[in-house]
């Protein structure tokens, strides 16, 4: 097994600033926009972006929620081990809001399809966009594309993209792992 660094902490920081600026361009003051981190790993990216938007770009009162998609996935009964659900925390209405789903890696698109189904329990959004740190563009099973992407990666099937977050693994880094 070998691994190669795709993004360093400095590069991740630059990408986060670019993504924040793109969000500001499209959502201005975020009065009608909510951010939804897809559990488990999209939450770290969503929290980082919210903090950046508030602290560096002085945008106040950004609503952030966490969405668990475990039991909305089309493959949740196929695994050998029991699944552990994460918390959904959405303490606001999404009815007529612009929702930005946030996840670390867009791979097959199945997680996003599940999120589209799950969010309906919280109302009918005006619009849904997708922001992802890594877009594995040649791996899609469903016709889903990100509106905002940090980096596009061409990974073949035996390669895995691993995003490391300071809050979880003690460092910010993205690796390409060849099994």
């Amino acid at each position: 097994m070998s691994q190669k660094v795709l993004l360093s902490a400095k590069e991740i920081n630059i990408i986060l600033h670019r993504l924040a600026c793109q969000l500001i361009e499209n959502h201005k003051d975020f009065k009608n926009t909510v951010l939804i981190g897809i559990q488990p790993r999209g939450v770290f990216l969503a929290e980082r972006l919210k903090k950046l938007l508030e602290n560096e770009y002085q945008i106040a009162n950004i609503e952030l929620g966490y969405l668990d998609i475990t039991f909305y996935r089309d493959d949740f009964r196929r695994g050998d081990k029991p699944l552990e659900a994460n918390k959904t925390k959405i303490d606001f209405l999404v009815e007529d809001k612009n929702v930005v789903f946030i996840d670390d890696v867009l791979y097959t698109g199945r997680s996003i399809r599940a999120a589209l189904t799950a969010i309906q329990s919280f109302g009918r959004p005006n619009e849904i966009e997708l922001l992802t740190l890594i877009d594995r563009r040649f791996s899609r099973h469903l016709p889903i594309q990100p509106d905002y992407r940090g980096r596009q990666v061409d990974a073949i099937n035996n390669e895995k993209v691993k995003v490391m977050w300071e809050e979880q693994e003690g460092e910010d880094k993205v690796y390409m792992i060849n099994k």
Side-chain angles (χ1 to χ4, degrees):
M1 184 171 87
S2 65
Q3 66 182 24
K4 163 179 127 175
V5 175
L6 289 178
L7 295 173
S8 67
K10 183 178 180 181
E11 291 168 315
I12 290 171
N13 188 47
I14 291 168
I15 287 171
L16 291 178
H17 278 273
R18 178 173 47 80
L19 291 170
C21 289
Q22 289 174 343
L23 286 171
I24 292 167
E25 281 180 30
N26 292 334
H27 297 280
K28 313 290 183 252
D29 59 8
F30 286 76
K31 292 225 182 306
N32 199 41
T33 299
V34 297
L35 304 180
I36 305 282
I38 297 177
Q39 288 277 28
R41 306 211 37 101
V43 169
F44 301 112
L45 178 56
E47 287 174 347
R48 286 278 189 90
L49 283 168
K50 180 181 192 273
K51 186 176 172 185
L52 200 62
L53 288 164
E54 289 176 340
N55 297 340
E56 299 286 324
Y57 298 100
Q58 285 70 49
I59 297 173
N61 304 317
I62 296 174
E63 293 185 290
L64 171 63
Y66 310 138
L67 182 63
D68 179 55
I69 58 164
T70 303
F71 300 112
Y72 292 92
R73 292 185 57 91
D74 59 2
D75 60 355
F76 87 93
R77 290 186 178 138
R78 293 178 182 220
D80 294 336
K81 60 181 182 176
L83 292 174
E84 286 187 37
N86 294 286
K87 280 188 177 175
T88 289
K89 178 186 169 268
I90 299 177
D91 52 6
F92 47 82
L93 292 175
V94 300
E95 190 74 28
D96 294 325
K97 297 277 187 168
N98 297 319
V99 172
V100 180
F101 283 150
I102 300 173
D103 207 359
D104 61 346
V105 178
L106 175 57
Y107 182 31
T108 63
R110 294 185 184 281
S111 294
I112 304 308
R113 193 224 38 91
L116 290 166
T117 303
I119 199 67
Q120 294 173 6
S121 301
F122 298 92
R124 184 175 183 217
N126 178 50
E127 180 178 87
I128 298 176
E129 294 179 327
L130 174 59
L131 180 149
T132 184
L133 182 65
I134 303 293
D135 174 13
R136 289 187 58 167
R137 68 178 174 160
F138 294 136
S139 306
R140 216 78 75 237
H141 295 176
L142 300 169
I144 293 172
Q145 301 300 321
D147 298 281
Y148 312 93
R149 76 172 51 89
R151 172 109 182 253
Q152 203 165 21
V153 174
D154 298 335
I156 54 179
N157 289 333
N158 65 339
E159 293 176 319
K160 182 178 182 196
V161 175
K162 175 71 175 164
V163 178
M164 312 282 282
W165 294 108
E166 176 79 36
E167 299 85 343
Q168 182 77 13
E169 290 89 11
E171 69 173 341
D172 285 342
K173 214 167 253 182
V174 178
Y175 293 100
M176 174 81 76
I177 300 170
N178 198 345
K179 295 178 183 181

